[in-house]
Amino acid sequence: MRDAEAGLKSLIPEAEVFEHNPKRLHISIPRERLTEAAKYLHRERGMRLATCTGIDTRAGLEVLYHFSEDKTGTMYTLRVLAPKDDPRLESQASWFPATDWIEREMHELLGIDFPGHPNLVPLLTSDTDWDREKYPLRRDYERRNEAHER
Amino acid sequence: MKDPRIWGLKKSPWVYHLAAASCNNCDIEVLELLTPRYDVERFGIVLVGSPRHADALLVTGVINRKSLPRVLEVYEQTPKPCLVIGVGTCTCNNHIFLNSYNAVGPYDKYLPVNAYVPGCPPKPEAMILGVVKALSKL
Amino acid sequence: MSDRHVVPIGPYHPLQEEPEFFKLIVEGETVVDLEINLGYNHRGHEFISPELTYDQIPFLVERICGICSNSHPLACVLALEDICGVKPAPRGAYVRTIIHELERIHSHLLWVGLAGHFIGYNTVWMWAWRYREHILEVFEMITGNRNHYAANKVGGARRDILPEQIPQILAALGVAEKKTLLLTKAVLDDPVIRARLERVGVLTREQAVAYSVVGPTARASGVDIDVRRDDPHDAYADLKWNVPVLPEGDVFAKAKVRLLETLESISIIRQCLGRMPEGPIQVRVEEIPAGEGIGRTEAPRGEVFHYLRSDGSNRPLRHKIRAPSYMNIASNVVAVRGGSIADAALTLAAVDPCYCCTERLAAFEDGKLKLTGRDLLRLSWAKTERLRERMP
Amino acid sequence: MTTLAGWQLVLAFLIFPGVVFTSFVGLTLTWVDRFVSARVQWRKGPPFYQPFADMLKLLLKQTVVPAGASKVTFLGAPMIGFAAMCVTAVLLFYVNFFPHGSFVGDLIVLVYLFALPPLSTILGASASRNPLSAVGASREMTLYLGYELPFLLALVVPIIHTHGAIRLGDLVLAQRTAGPFLYSWSGLIAAVIVLVCIQAKLGYPPFDIAEAEQEIMSGVLIEYSGAPLALFRLTKAMMFFLMPCFLVTVFWGGLTSFWAIPELLAVVVLVILIKNTNPRFKIDHALRFFWFILGALGIIAVILAFGGL
């Protein structure tokens, strides 16, 4: 039972920890406790945010915050679920600049809203011809196979 | 001497390097053409800083939505007759990014491309051959 | 001579360069703010990879960046091995490590050349790139291509390094070491370069941690992280090398860290060549079970992060890719603020983004285009010239 | 006193010292410059006909005039510089071969003629309605103001040597009798100043501030293409030949002396070497360099000249 893991469990009792292997831990926490957990891992434990992954699953929009504890080389992944009908997550960009770009990317490619983000403008997609309602990384995005068209 | 215009273009092709959504490998290889080992200046090929002075556009990368309007603008600014030489497989057929939502197709959908230099990245010798072949086709 | 009228579009003239990747907001000589305009290279890798099978994905991710085209496939393959819990074949692990370190050498030599170009030493550029050709020749011999080596496979390496190739590798390493030592001496002892790079584009340790920067950018700001040592994969567990970390955080520290790292890489490769185990270079992996996997490796610019989620079929459900420059470039906003325009081009190049990104650069003063990318370069050279005047 | 008849003048203007001869020699010297520069970087360098091929190609390419740019000045600007260079060529050679035929004050006329090409560049750049070339034009003006002062100061020295002769013919004659001015202290300093001013007038490094990076004619003349661009480059090539001729005429004993050709080549090689060994100056730094360092040198040279050295 690593102390970071113990500290997190004491902070958020309802967190379930799944140990994929000694260096990869996945911790599922409710959506509301995200900021608390992230602040604990970054500020108290001094972990570095590798990146965040947004996945469109049947259960809803799942977002993984990958924190890396560089001293021991272990990866702590916070797993948060936002329901499809209300894709909203608290933005960490105000206190943690590293999440600024990745939240903007998830916003434009997956349609997750991040209230509290300083400037939630598109990061990667074109400024001229891009349909803001369509999210490419969602499962329902229609895939055109150019190979057959030609 | 056939048409002197063509002779002039053949003997001093000024090249402008246009990169739209490329992985920069072809761009580095294009730059390597200037280094002592390949030195394209012996053919009169000079890398110029503005499309206005260019005779040949060395294009790389698969155009993505954001860089398409800029690519067309640069092509329009280049005085004709000008060559378009695609460097790398991305410019031939969109390569591995064929089904990407952001790649809007190889150059020949928008510009008349005179020569393709396949290869990922093509060797500098292949690029020189590409430019020479494009010129000889004139 | 037919005259044709062309209507220029937009406030700035798009003719000279494409819209700026970095837009410096300046007041007089000092840079006040930086607007970063991404998206010109976005090709949607994460969208394409679920359509490909696990064998095809390394070829896709290789084309993310031309200069570190071995780090992405390696991280992706490590993620797959993380899902299946498989260890690569010992000899394959050593081959992968050798190619990974060789790429670091050629990437750092490339950056040293570009940095020289940015401060006006074009001979350093021609010189560094000339000796880089030796490494590219070695790559061509081992893997068949100058870049995009396709060297990694789930469970090991795709091609073996034959015993008769080793003498040429050692010869190329010898040249690389001699020249890197020369470059290190030339860069570290040249008073003008020191005056030009020291205290320029400083990224403090707190800022480095806040922006979670990785690689040489972090190590030059006193953050001691290196994925090869913290989360060792392949042959790194049983190799010995030291990780250069400097506290200053300025461009000079970043140059020094990169040069010292190149020398470390050369010694790593020599250690690997010395103790290459015999045996097959890959382990047969039948199928990828359902699950999640994280693959990380230390690319020349920092930690490359790949996350894969599989559902038991031969295609991934989700593939997250994060290149090191994604975090480093974001830190430029803080690094360039307050500096002079002449140093701007250099500071932005210090995080070593690929060549294309540093090309598109311009300075604006209250909305009006003031200096183009070329002007900023020339300002940078002129400053070098001025410093050389003042040198004794 | 031989004066050229009408048709001889036209012939002189078009063929011998004028357009054809000067541009031919100018382009060949440009090739020498590119070849030596390439060799300095271990490169093979372009073939000998490269500048001619560039000229031919540019002349026949399409000219694009940006909308909104004042068409007349945009296309007219390069012609001013070109015409000035042709007249200079005729005047310079005429004076050297018939020193008695030169008129009073032709030295001043030459100085003005040499000032026209930079002015035509500035005119062209500001006419092309592009923020980048406007920035380039303002820098070219600053640079011009910079080197004009020491340039004039340096020309005062030979005048003092010949006790107030404004006529170029007298200068040539004086040098034929009393030996070139270069061998006197003041003459040497003045020659060095003129050499540096030539470097700046040609826009070669370390003074190519108005042009972008390595490319020739890109910052200031970013909008130009086709024939106008060819005219600008041809003017520059002719200047690359005529400026050393001017230096040799005024300081090194005229063009007719036996040593004229080697002297010319020496000056050209010097210009190329300076070009290849110096990174660029920043505009205000260059201005300070011209006014204070070269200006001071000029005053010293004038004082020495008065002292008869």
Side-chain angles (χ1 to χ4, degrees), chain D residues 96-122:
Chain D
N96 271 299
F97 289 109
F98 311 100
H100 303 292
S102 76
F103 53 93
V104 175
D106 53 9
L107 184 64
I108 311 300
V109 166
L110 264 183
V111 167
Y112 278 110
L113 284 173
F114 275 129
L116 277 180
L119 292 189
S120 74
T121 325
I122 294 168

PDB file of all heavy atoms in Angstrom, chain D residues 96-122:
ATOM      1  N   ASN D  96      38.442  58.498 -68.161  1.00  0.00           N
ATOM      2  CA  ASN D  96      39.748  57.826 -68.055  1.00  0.00           C
ATOM      3  C   ASN D  96      40.507  57.870 -69.364  1.00  0.00           C
ATOM      4  O   ASN D  96      41.722  58.015 -69.381  1.00  0.00           O
ATOM      5  CB  ASN D  96      39.530  56.357 -67.648  1.00  0.00           C
ATOM      6  CG  ASN D  96      39.511  56.275 -66.119  1.00  0.00           C
ATOM      7  OD1 ASN D  96      40.488  56.605 -65.477  1.00  0.00           O
ATOM      8  ND2 ASN D  96      38.354  55.950 -65.576  1.00  0.00           N
ATOM      9  N   PHE D  97      39.745  57.759 -70.502  1.00  0.00           N
ATOM     10  CA  PHE D  97      40.478  57.679 -71.768  1.00  0.00           C
ATOM     11  C   PHE D  97      40.775  59.071 -72.308  1.00  0.00           C
ATOM     12  O   PHE D  97      41.787  59.298 -72.979  1.00  0.00           O
ATOM     13  CB  PHE D  97      39.668  56.857 -72.790  1.00  0.00           C
ATOM     14  CG  PHE D  97      39.668  55.397 -72.419  1.00  0.00           C
ATOM     15  CD1 PHE D  97      38.522  54.780 -71.932  1.00  0.00           C
ATOM     16  CD2 PHE D  97      40.856  54.654 -72.504  1.00  0.00           C
ATOM     17  CE1 PHE D  97      38.555  53.441 -71.554  1.00  0.00           C
ATOM     18  CE2 PHE D  97      40.874  53.320 -72.117  1.00  0.00           C
ATOM     19  CZ  PHE D  97      39.708  52.732 -71.640  1.00  0.00           C
ATOM     20  N   PHE D  98      39.846  60.066 -72.038  1.00  0.00           N
ATOM     21  CA  PHE D  98      40.126  61.444 -72.519  1.00  0.00           C
ATOM     22  C   PHE D  98      40.089  62.365 -71.307  1.00  0.00           C
ATOM     23  O   PHE D  98      39.089  63.042 -71.083  1.00  0.00           O
ATOM     24  CB  PHE D  98      39.066  61.877 -73.538  1.00  0.00           C
ATOM     25  CG  PHE D  98      38.826  60.862 -74.615  1.00  0.00           C
ATOM     26  CD1 PHE D  98      37.733  60.005 -74.547  1.00  0.00           C
ATOM     27  CD2 PHE D  98      39.713  60.735 -75.667  1.00  0.00           C
ATOM     28  CE1 PHE D  98      37.534  59.043 -75.531  1.00  0.00           C
ATOM     29  CE2 PHE D  98      39.520  59.778 -76.648  1.00  0.00           C
ATOM     30  CZ  PHE D  98      38.431  58.933 -76.584  1.00  0.00           C
ATOM     31  N   PRO D  99      41.128  62.390 -70.464  1.00  0.00           N
ATOM     32  CA  PRO D  99      41.042  63.203 -69.236  1.00  0.00           C
ATOM     33  C   PRO D  99      40.746  64.658 -69.518  1.00  0.00           C
ATOM     34  O   PRO D  99      40.075  65.325 -68.755  1.00  0.00           O
ATOM     35  CB  PRO D  99      42.418  63.029 -68.589  1.00  0.00           C
ATOM     36  CG  PRO D  99      43.178  62.065 -69.405  1.00  0.00           C
ATOM     37  CD  PRO D  99      42.412  61.723 -70.609  1.00  0.00           C
ATOM     38  N   HIS D 100      41.198  65.149 -70.673  1.00  0.00           N
ATOM     39  CA  HIS D 100      40.978  66.587 -70.915  1.00  0.00           C
ATOM     40  C   HIS D 100      39.510  66.871 -71.209  1.00  0.00           C
ATOM     41  O   HIS D 100      39.033  67.959 -71.051  1.00  0.00           O
ATOM     42  CB  HIS D 100      41.838  67.022 -72.122  1.00  0.00           C
ATOM     43  CG  HIS D 100      43.276  66.727 -71.873  1.00  0.00           C
ATOM     44  ND1 HIS D 100      43.991  67.401 -70.913  1.00  0.00           N
ATOM     45  CD2 HIS D 100      44.116  65.784 -72.378  1.00  0.00           C
ATOM     46  CE1 HIS D 100      45.223  66.906 -70.857  1.00  0.00           C
ATOM     47  NE2 HIS D 100      45.324  65.920 -71.720  1.00  0.00           N
ATOM     48  N   GLY D 101      38.791  65.826 -71.586  1.00  0.00           N
ATOM     49  CA  GLY D 101      37.426  66.097 -72.030  1.00  0.00           C
ATOM     50  C   GLY D 101      36.453  66.218 -70.871  1.00  0.00           C
ATOM     51  O   GLY D 101      35.291  66.508 -71.064  1.00  0.00           O
ATOM     52  N   SER D 102      36.928  66.006 -69.641  1.00  0.00           N
ATOM     53  CA  SER D 102      35.928  65.977 -68.537  1.00  0.00           C
ATOM     54  C   SER D 102      35.569  67.404 -68.135  1.00  0.00           C
ATOM     55  O   SER D 102      36.398  68.314 -68.262  1.00  0.00           O
ATOM     56  CB  SER D 102      36.533  65.257 -67.333  1.00  0.00           C
ATOM     57  OG  SER D 102      37.438  66.140 -66.693  1.00  0.00           O
ATOM     58  N   PHE D 103      34.385  67.607 -67.663  1.00  0.00           N
ATOM     59  CA  PHE D 103      33.911  68.967 -67.339  1.00  0.00           C
ATOM     60  C   PHE D 103      34.054  69.217 -65.842  1.00  0.00           C
ATOM     61  O   PHE D 103      34.225  68.275 -65.056  1.00  0.00           O
ATOM     62  CB  PHE D 103      32.434  69.118 -67.760  1.00  0.00           C
ATOM     63  CG  PHE D 103      31.523  68.045 -67.204  1.00  0.00           C
ATOM     64  CD1 PHE D 103      30.845  68.233 -66.007  1.00  0.00           C
ATOM     65  CD2 PHE D 103      31.384  66.826 -67.874  1.00  0.00           C
ATOM     66  CE1 PHE D 103      30.043  67.242 -65.478  1.00  0.00           C
ATOM     67  CE2 PHE D 103      30.566  65.831 -67.351  1.00  0.00           C
ATOM     68  CZ  PHE D 103      29.900  66.036 -66.153  1.00  0.00           C
ATOM     69  N   VAL D 104      33.976  70.475 -65.470  1.00  0.00           N
ATOM     70  CA  VAL D 104      34.183  70.814 -64.049  1.00  0.00           C
ATOM     71  C   VAL D 104      33.044  70.198 -63.213  1.00  0.00           C
ATOM     72  O   VAL D 104      31.882  70.209 -63.621  1.00  0.00           O
ATOM     73  CB  VAL D 104      34.163  72.357 -63.870  1.00  0.00           C
ATOM     74  CG1 VAL D 104      34.241  72.701 -62.390  1.00  0.00           C
ATOM     75  CG2 VAL D 104      35.323  72.967 -64.661  1.00  0.00           C
ATOM     76  N   GLY D 105      33.369  69.604 -62.114  1.00  0.00           N
ATOM     77  CA  GLY D 105      32.326  69.151 -61.199  1.00  0.00           C
ATOM     78  C   GLY D 105      31.794  67.762 -61.555  1.00  0.00           C
ATOM     79  O   GLY D 105      30.768  67.331 -61.040  1.00  0.00           O
ATOM     80  N   ASP D 106      32.515  67.032 -62.439  1.00  0.00           N
ATOM     81  CA  ASP D 106      31.944  65.712 -62.806  1.00  0.00           C
ATOM     82  C   ASP D 106      32.090  64.722 -61.643  1.00  0.00           C
ATOM     83  O   ASP D 106      31.385  63.736 -61.548  1.00  0.00           O
ATOM     84  CB  ASP D 106      32.614  65.164 -64.066  1.00  0.00           C
ATOM     85  CG  ASP D 106      34.131  65.138 -63.922  1.00  0.00           C
ATOM     86  OD1 ASP D 106      34.582  65.382 -62.781  1.00  0.00           O
ATOM     87  OD2 ASP D 106      34.820  64.916 -64.903  1.00  0.00           O
ATOM     88  N   LEU D 107      33.002  65.038 -60.721  1.00  0.00           N
ATOM     89  CA  LEU D 107      33.119  64.153 -59.540  1.00  0.00           C
ATOM     90  C   LEU D 107      31.800  64.179 -58.745  1.00  0.00           C
ATOM     91  O   LEU D 107      31.249  63.139 -58.347  1.00  0.00           O
ATOM     92  CB  LEU D 107      34.284  64.649 -58.670  1.00  0.00           C
ATOM     93  CG  LEU D 107      34.604  63.778 -57.450  1.00  0.00           C
ATOM     94  CD1 LEU D 107      35.064  62.390 -57.880  1.00  0.00           C
ATOM     95  CD2 LEU D 107      35.681  64.421 -56.588  1.00  0.00           C
ATOM     96  N   ILE D 108      31.274  65.409 -58.613  1.00  0.00           N
ATOM     97  CA  ILE D 108      30.005  65.541 -57.853  1.00  0.00           C
ATOM     98  C   ILE D 108      28.884  64.811 -58.592  1.00  0.00           C
ATOM     99  O   ILE D 108      28.087  64.069 -57.994  1.00  0.00           O
ATOM    100  CB  ILE D 108      29.663  67.041 -57.704  1.00  0.00           C
ATOM    101  CG1 ILE D 108      30.864  67.845 -57.200  1.00  0.00           C
ATOM    102  CG2 ILE D 108      28.461  67.222 -56.793  1.00  0.00           C
ATOM    103  CD1 ILE D 108      31.373  67.395 -55.843  1.00  0.00           C
ATOM    104  N   VAL D 109      28.897  64.957 -59.929  1.00  0.00           N
ATOM    105  CA  VAL D 109      27.820  64.297 -60.700  1.00  0.00           C
ATOM    106  C   VAL D 109      27.876  62.790 -60.457  1.00  0.00           C
ATOM    107  O   VAL D 109      26.865  62.127 -60.215  1.00  0.00           O
ATOM    108  CB  VAL D 109      27.991  64.611 -62.215  1.00  0.00           C
ATOM    109  CG1 VAL D 109      27.117  63.693 -63.050  1.00  0.00           C
ATOM    110  CG2 VAL D 109      27.697  66.072 -62.475  1.00  0.00           C
ATOM    111  N   LEU D 110      29.121  62.257 -60.441  1.00  0.00           N
ATOM    112  CA  LEU D 110      29.264  60.799 -60.238  1.00  0.00           C
ATOM    113  C   LEU D 110      28.704  60.397 -58.878  1.00  0.00           C
ATOM    114  O   LEU D 110      27.985  59.398 -58.753  1.00  0.00           O
ATOM    115  CB  LEU D 110      30.748  60.418 -60.323  1.00  0.00           C
ATOM    116  CG  LEU D 110      31.210  59.929 -61.697  1.00  0.00           C
ATOM    117  CD1 LEU D 110      32.671  59.510 -61.641  1.00  0.00           C
ATOM    118  CD2 LEU D 110      30.356  58.748 -62.133  1.00  0.00           C
ATOM    119  N   VAL D 111      28.984  61.215 -57.854  1.00  0.00           N
ATOM    120  CA  VAL D 111      28.505  60.861 -56.508  1.00  0.00           C
ATOM    121  C   VAL D 111      26.984  60.771 -56.529  1.00  0.00           C
ATOM    122  O   VAL D 111      26.368  59.838 -56.005  1.00  0.00           O
ATOM    123  CB  VAL D 111      28.995  61.911 -55.492  1.00  0.00           C
ATOM    124  CG1 VAL D 111      28.251  61.755 -54.179  1.00  0.00           C
ATOM    125  CG2 VAL D 111      30.495  61.779 -55.287  1.00  0.00           C
ATOM    126  N   TYR D 112      26.358  61.752 -57.220  1.00  0.00           N
ATOM    127  CA  TYR D 112      24.884  61.707 -57.269  1.00  0.00           C
ATOM    128  C   TYR D 112      24.399  60.487 -58.035  1.00  0.00           C
ATOM    129  O   TYR D 112      23.438  59.811 -57.651  1.00  0.00           O
ATOM    130  CB  TYR D 112      24.344  62.996 -57.917  1.00  0.00           C
ATOM    131  CG  TYR D 112      24.266  64.134 -56.948  1.00  0.00           C
ATOM    132  CD1 TYR D 112      25.128  65.228 -57.036  1.00  0.00           C
ATOM    133  CD2 TYR D 112      23.375  64.087 -55.876  1.00  0.00           C
ATOM    134  CE1 TYR D 112      25.078  66.242 -56.112  1.00  0.00           C
ATOM    135  CE2 TYR D 112      23.326  65.101 -54.940  1.00  0.00           C
ATOM    136  CZ  TYR D 112      24.181  66.180 -55.066  1.00  0.00           C
ATOM    137  OH  TYR D 112      24.152  67.180 -54.140  1.00  0.00           O
ATOM    138  N   LEU D 113      25.114  60.173 -59.139  1.00  0.00           N
ATOM    139  CA  LEU D 113      24.661  59.006 -59.932  1.00  0.00           C
ATOM    140  C   LEU D 113      24.745  57.745 -59.093  1.00  0.00           C
ATOM    141  O   LEU D 113      23.885  56.878 -59.135  1.00  0.00           O
ATOM    142  CB  LEU D 113      25.535  58.890 -61.194  1.00  0.00           C
ATOM    143  CG  LEU D 113      25.206  59.899 -62.295  1.00  0.00           C
ATOM    144  CD1 LEU D 113      26.220  59.812 -63.428  1.00  0.00           C
ATOM    145  CD2 LEU D 113      23.799  59.638 -62.824  1.00  0.00           C
ATOM    146  N   PHE D 114      25.783  57.665 -58.268  1.00  0.00           N
ATOM    147  CA  PHE D 114      25.901  56.459 -57.424  1.00  0.00           C
ATOM    148  C   PHE D 114      24.808  56.426 -56.369  1.00  0.00           C
ATOM    149  O   PHE D 114      24.487  55.385 -55.817  1.00  0.00           O
ATOM    150  CB  PHE D 114      27.277  56.407 -56.751  1.00  0.00           C
ATOM    151  CG  PHE D 114      28.333  55.798 -57.620  1.00  0.00           C
ATOM    152  CD1 PHE D 114      29.536  56.441 -57.835  1.00  0.00           C
ATOM    153  CD2 PHE D 114      28.105  54.589 -58.263  1.00  0.00           C
ATOM    154  CE1 PHE D 114      30.492  55.882 -58.661  1.00  0.00           C
ATOM    155  CE2 PHE D 114      29.052  54.020 -59.096  1.00  0.00           C
ATOM    156  CZ  PHE D 114      30.254  54.675 -59.293  1.00  0.00           C
ATOM    157  N   ALA D 115      24.235  57.596 -56.079  1.00  0.00           N
ATOM    158  CA  ALA D 115      23.194  57.626 -55.041  1.00  0.00           C
ATOM    159  C   ALA D 115      21.863  57.155 -55.601  1.00  0.00           C
ATOM    160  O   ALA D 115      20.956  56.784 -54.855  1.00  0.00           O
ATOM    161  CB  ALA D 115      23.048  59.050 -54.506  1.00  0.00           C
ATOM    162  N   LEU D 116      21.723  57.147 -56.928  1.00  0.00           N
ATOM    163  CA  LEU D 116      20.395  56.837 -57.508  1.00  0.00           C
ATOM    164  C   LEU D 116      19.947  55.387 -57.286  1.00  0.00           C
ATOM    165  O   LEU D 116      18.808  55.159 -56.883  1.00  0.00           O
ATOM    166  CB  LEU D 116      20.405  57.177 -59.006  1.00  0.00           C
ATOM    167  CG  LEU D 116      20.141  58.672 -59.302  1.00  0.00           C
ATOM    168  CD1 LEU D 116      20.173  58.937 -60.796  1.00  0.00           C
ATOM    169  CD2 LEU D 116      18.794  59.078 -58.721  1.00  0.00           C
ATOM    170  N   PRO D 117      20.791  54.351 -57.497  1.00  0.00           N
ATOM    171  CA  PRO D 117      20.272  52.977 -57.294  1.00  0.00           C
ATOM    172  C   PRO D 117      19.659  52.760 -55.906  1.00  0.00           C
ATOM    173  O   PRO D 117      18.527  52.263 -55.815  1.00  0.00           O
ATOM    174  CB  PRO D 117      21.497  52.110 -57.539  1.00  0.00           C
ATOM    175  CG  PRO D 117      22.383  52.913 -58.408  1.00  0.00           C
ATOM    176  CD  PRO D 117      22.150  54.350 -58.042  1.00  0.00           C
ATOM    177  N   PRO D 118      20.343  53.137 -54.783  1.00  0.00           N
ATOM    178  CA  PRO D 118      19.645  52.915 -53.499  1.00  0.00           C
ATOM    179  C   PRO D 118      18.308  53.640 -53.451  1.00  0.00           C
ATOM    180  O   PRO D 118      17.314  53.105 -52.945  1.00  0.00           O
ATOM    181  CB  PRO D 118      20.615  53.496 -52.466  1.00  0.00           C
ATOM    182  CG  PRO D 118      21.931  53.565 -53.121  1.00  0.00           C
ATOM    183  CD  PRO D 118      21.680  53.711 -54.581  1.00  0.00           C
ATOM    184  N   LEU D 119      18.285  54.871 -54.029  1.00  0.00           N
ATOM    185  CA  LEU D 119      17.003  55.607 -53.989  1.00  0.00           C
ATOM    186  C   LEU D 119      15.944  54.853 -54.784  1.00  0.00           C
ATOM    187  O   LEU D 119      14.782  54.750 -54.375  1.00  0.00           O
ATOM    188  CB  LEU D 119      17.199  57.016 -54.558  1.00  0.00           C
ATOM    189  CG  LEU D 119      18.078  57.937 -53.698  1.00  0.00           C
ATOM    190  CD1 LEU D 119      18.042  59.360 -54.231  1.00  0.00           C
ATOM    191  CD2 LEU D 119      17.610  57.906 -52.236  1.00  0.00           C
ATOM    192  N   SER D 120      16.357  54.259 -55.921  1.00  0.00           N
ATOM    193  CA  SER D 120      15.328  53.550 -56.698  1.00  0.00           C
ATOM    194  C   SER D 120      14.837  52.332 -55.922  1.00  0.00           C
ATOM    195  O   SER D 120      13.661  51.990 -55.954  1.00  0.00           O
ATOM    196  CB  SER D 120      15.916  53.125 -58.048  1.00  0.00           C
ATOM    197  OG  SER D 120      16.792  52.028 -57.854  1.00  0.00           O
ATOM    198  N   THR D 121      15.733  51.698 -55.155  1.00  0.00           N
ATOM    199  CA  THR D 121      15.265  50.552 -54.341  1.00  0.00           C
ATOM    200  C   THR D 121      14.239  51.046 -53.322  1.00  0.00           C
ATOM    201  O   THR D 121      13.180  50.449 -53.147  1.00  0.00           O
ATOM    202  CB  THR D 121      16.474  49.940 -53.581  1.00  0.00           C
ATOM    203  OG1 THR D 121      17.620  50.026 -54.399  1.00  0.00           O
ATOM    204  CG2 THR D 121      16.221  48.507 -53.196  1.00  0.00           C
ATOM    205  N   ILE D 122      14.567  52.167 -52.672  1.00  0.00           N
ATOM    206  CA  ILE D 122      13.637  52.682 -51.641  1.00  0.00           C
ATOM    207  C   ILE D 122      12.304  53.012 -52.288  1.00  0.00           C
ATOM    208  O   ILE D 122      11.230  52.628 -51.803  1.00  0.00           O
ATOM    209  CB  ILE D 122      14.250  53.931 -50.970  1.00  0.00           C
ATOM    210  CG1 ILE D 122      15.511  53.535 -50.186  1.00  0.00           C
ATOM    211  CG2 ILE D 122      13.245  54.610 -50.053  1.00  0.00           C
ATOM    212  CD1 ILE D 122      16.349  54.699 -49.734  1.00  0.00           C
TER     213      ILE D 122
END
